[in-house]
Amino acid sequence: MRPSAARMLLRALLRRCPNCGSPGIFAGYTTLREHCPRCGLRLHRGESDYFIGAYLLNLVAVELLFALILGIIFVATYPHTPWRLLQWGGLVLMIAGAVLCYPFAKSVWLAADLIFRPLTPEELEWHRRGGSAEERQELPHL
Ligand SMILES: [Zn+2]
């Protein structure tokens, strides 16, 4: 049975497989394993450039975080806004936020992809047996 969109996003935020909820999909802080250890889903869905979307998602998340914090500090301290703090603190926040959010962006991107391009039993079987790119073309929904 296919998990709900909310469940897949929650699993992704916990750095678990959005499809089955298994932990251990990361080999390192930012490095995804090739396959989910439980369900066998290829975590790049068999695409070499799959995580360009994760880069974009990470960029947007960090920019929104920066804008939110900037707005809160600006409103809370107006008219004595600490511009120097915002300038240098913003720089640190942007760099640290990009590093801290990146693994979550990868798993959330996978969840979003599974929501908009649902995993079929045929595709999951293709992932489990390590099918080739040519076979992938034969999958009807991809
Ligand atoms: Zn899984």
Side-chain angles (χ1 to χ4, degrees):
M1 186 173 102
R2 183 174 175 233
S4 69
R7 179 174 290 263
M8 284 197 275
L9 288 171
L10 180 63
R11 288 172 174 172
L13 288 172
L14 296 172
R15 297 182 55 173
R16 292 171 171 255
C17 174
N19 185 48
C20 71
S22 172
I25 62 171
F26 283 89
Y29 184 69
T30 61
T31 308
L32 278 173
R33 296 187 188 284
E34 180 73 24
H35 294 265
C36 170
R38 185 185 299 162
C39 70
L41 171 68
R42 276 192 246 195
L43 299 169
H44 296 93
R45 292 191 84 178
E47 299 173 8
S48 62
D49 58 352
Y50 185 73
F51 281 101
I52 292 173
Y55 297 138
L56 177 66
L57 184 63
N58 194 37
L59 177 70
V60 170
V62 172
E63 294 287 338
L64 288 175
L65 181 66
F66 173 71
L68 178 70
I69 291 174
L70 177 77
I72 289 170
I73 291 174
F74 182 79
V75 169
T77 61
Y78 187 80
H80 305 291
T81 307
W83 293 111
R84 181 83 53 191
L85 171 70
L86 290 178
Q87 179 183 5
W88 294 105
L91 177 67
V92 170
L93 179 67
M94 296 295 283
I95 294 170
V99 172
L100 292 174
C101 292
Y102 185 58
F104 298 97
K106 279 186 162 182
S107 55
V108 169
W109 179 252
L110 177 60
D113 188 36
L114 289 171
I115 292 167
F116 290 105
R117 289 190 310 159
L119 186 65
T120 62
E122 296 82 20
E123 183 189 351
L124 186 57
E125 178 54 34
W126 174 77
H127 287 289
R128 287 178 175 157
R129 72 170 190 273
S132 67
E134 292 77 36
E135 289 177 81
R136 187 176 188 281
Q137 301 301 322
E138 297 168 11
L139 294 172
H141 68 290
L142 297 176

